[in-house]
Amino acid sequence: QVQLVESGGGFVHPGGSLRLSCAASGLPFSVLMVAWFRQAPGKERERVASYLSNGAGTYYVDSVKGRFTVSGDHAKKTLFLEMNSLRPEDTAIYYCAAPKDPYQRPNDYYYWGQGTQVTVSS
């Protein structure tokens, strides 16, 4: 069965850092193509970052560029999101997700994790 499990969320003060992990298992493809999304109360779900293979393709939403870094461990099938200089507006539930067909429909995210809470507050 396909499973995506996020971890690493928590409470931090503004300017702090967190490292999120997404452990993937049972995906029907060999490449590591996973994305990070976040959703805050009253706001639409937003794609924060995405990763393809050996860093061949990455994406960052403008609001996190220069602060967040996405990376992957292919052997362990794990995706990471290093978050630095965190701001209160980064507060949200963070999810990892993967497409069912990364080649033909890379933006159709089909598999989702349960989410991990990130809270940035003074």
Side-chain angles (χ1 to χ4, degrees), residues 70-85:
V70 64
S71 62
D73 184 329
H74 293 265
K76 296 182 179 180
K77 298 296 183 183
T78 302
L79 188 76
F80 303 100
L81 184 66
E82 188 76 35
M83 305 185 295
N84 300 308
S85 301

Side-chain angles (χ1 to χ4, degrees), residues 67-122:
R67 300 189 298 119
F68 291 11
T69 302
V70 64
S71 62
D73 184 329
H74 293 265
K76 296 182 179 180
K77 298 296 183 183
T78 302
L79 188 76
F80 303 100
L81 184 66
E82 188 76 35
M83 305 185 295
N84 300 308
S85 301
L86 284 163
R87 306 164 180 169
E89 51 265 41
D90 294 318
T91 296
I93 299 176
Y94 284 71
Y95 302 88
C96 59
K100 188 175 184 179
D101 186 344
Y103 301 102
Q104 299 299 321
R105 300 173 61 85
N107 296 318
D108 183 10
Y109 291 93
Y110 185 84
Y111 304 107
W112 293 82
Q114 84 289 344
T116 185
Q117 177 71 48
V118 172
T119 302
V120 185
S121 177
S122 60

Side-chain angles (χ1 to χ4, degrees), residues 8-61:
F11 180 94
V12 295
H13 295 293
S17 300
L18 283 173
R19 190 193 196 201
L20 305 184
S21 297
C22 172
S25 63
L27 290 172
F29 48 87
S30 60
V31 300
L32 184 61
M33 186 174 185
V34 191
W36 287 100
F37 290 79
R38 68 185 180 187
Q39 187 164 27
K43 296 184 178 180
E44 294 184 349
R45 187 176 61 199
E46 174 186 47
R47 181 158 63 108
V48 177
S50 59
Y51 176 88
L52 173 62
S53 296
N54 195 27
T58 59
Y59 164 84
Y60 299 96
V61 68

